[in-house]
Structures are given as C-alpha cells and as structure tokens.
Amino acid sequence: GRGRRSEDTDVHPQRDGLPERYQPDGVGMTYKTVQTGVATVIKKVAGYDANNVKEDDYRVVSHGKIKAVILRRGATEREFLGMGGSAPMLNRFTINCELYIPFRTQTTTLADDVIVEAQKIVDEFDKWPKLDNTANVINAECEAVGEPEEWLIGGRWWRQLLEVRVDEVTTVTRSE
C-alpha cells in the first residue's frame, strides 16, 4: 500500500546522521534508469511486455493494442543529506504511467476493468519496492490518481493515470 514506513518519519538526516539505508551504493543515476526500472516492474504484470509498455511513445495506442501503458516524466525533487564535498543526495522522481484500455464492451463494465487493471499494477509495485534492484533505489510506491476517464487518441480509450514515486540515493561532489 501507500504510506511511509515509521522509520522514514523518525529520522532527520542532518540532525541524527545518515541511517544505513541512506548510504548510497553508487555515484549518480539518471531519471532514465529509474523510468526503465518502473517499466520493468509493469512488465511483470500478466499481459504487459515491450510491445505495450512504452516510454514517451504514444504510437502503441494508435496501433490498437488491447491495453497499453505509456510512461512519462513527472516531477523531480532533490535533497542533500549531508555536508561537505562529497555528500549523499536523495532524488525523488515521479513517473506518470498512463494506462489505456480501448472501448470494446459496455462502458460500465469497461470502467471497472480499468480500475481492476490499475490495481494489478499498483499491487505489483508493492512486491518490488526497489524496482527489481534498480541501482540506488531505496523505495518505490505506485497509486492510481483520480478516476478513469474517456480519452480520444487513435481511437476511443479509457485512461487511468498512475503515479510512481521513486526515492533514490546517490553521491554528489560539490565544488564549493
């Protein structure tokens, strides 16, 4: 589920020192690495693969797939967790995942199908909080945002927005 673990709220890195889980494994990753990790977790759900999980590519929707997920960049926040020349940095990435299911049945049934399908994806992220061991990721959470909505893009679709928030710790060397 959503919600933070209690140890997340009990630690103040600048005041209490860095807990072991904030110790970075590497020197820096990119948003692209995290987004690829998100795609990897979605592809673990039955019915999703490289053909219908795409990063910033809506062409899959215009090809009339049964269902598709398009990943798009969301917000990025950064917070230094230490002082000095070489310090850990917490990066918080948001990846917007747009789930599309085409209209093929009665509208009320299809709306329920979208909700069920979205929940399958949310549940898969609960199993993979480090995005299948994506480098430097310490936590990932997914949730459906809002209600499914009708969307016209290469046809008539139901669209459900999912947000995946990913925390990653890297090491950054400051110049001043």
Side-chain angles (χ1 to χ4, degrees):
R2 286 277 308 127
R4 292 282 195 205
R5 296 179 295 241
S6 63
E7 67 263 24
D8 287 340
T9 58
D10 295 341
V11 174
H12 186 279
Q14 281 80 18
R15 182 186 67 218
D16 301 327
L18 294 172
E20 186 174 325
R21 63 190 205 85
Y22 280 137
Q23 298 301 322
D25 295 329
V27 176
M29 296 305 297
T30 65
Y31 171 86
K32 182 70 173 163
T33 301
V34 170
Q35 182 170 289
T36 300
V38 169
T40 297
V41 171
I42 293 170
K43 291 172 189 173
K44 292 177 180 296
V45 178
Y48 294 95
D49 57 30
N51 294 316
N52 63 349
V53 177
K54 298 292 185 178
E55 300 176 28
D56 299 309
D57 185 356
Y58 286 87
R59 290 178 294 181
V60 65
V61 178
S62 66
H63 293 135
K65 297 289 182 190
I66 298 299
K67 55 189 173 185
V69 177
I70 311 297
L71 284 67
R72 293 186 310 104
R73 187 177 187 133
T76 300
E77 299 173 30
R78 301 174 72 167
E79 176 184 351
F80 280 100
L81 300 175
M83 300 295 189
S86 184
M89 179 185 291
L90 176 63
N91 298 306
R92 292 184 181 108
F93 299 109
T94 300
I95 295 86
N96 297 309
C97 302
E98 300 175 2
L99 169 63
Y100 290 93
I101 296 181
F103 275 86
R104 296 203 195 281
T105 62
Q106 188 169 49
T107 305
T108 55
T109 305
L110 187 55
D112 290 342
D113 291 347
V114 173
I115 293 168
V116 168
E117 201 64 32
Q119 190 61 48
K120 288 179 192 176
I121 294 171
V122 169
D123 291 347
E124 196 67 26
F125 277 93
D126 289 344
K127 298 176 192 174
W128 303 95
K130 293 185 178 183
L131 301 181
D132 197 16
N133 293 314
T134 297
N136 299 325
V137 170
I138 60 170
N139 193 47
E141 298 175 339
C142 179
E143 72 177 343
V145 178
E147 295 294 322
E149 59 187 358
E150 186 177 346
W151 200 257
L152 300 174
I153 182 172
R156 194 169 170 209
W157 298 80
W158 272 110
R159 173 185 174 263
Q160 173 68 60
L161 179 62
L162 305 168
E163 279 186 352
V164 179
R165 284 174 294 287
V166 179
D167 292 339
E168 167 202 65
V169 177
T170 58
T171 299
V172 175
T173 302
R174 292 179 159 182
S175 297
E176 53 183 6

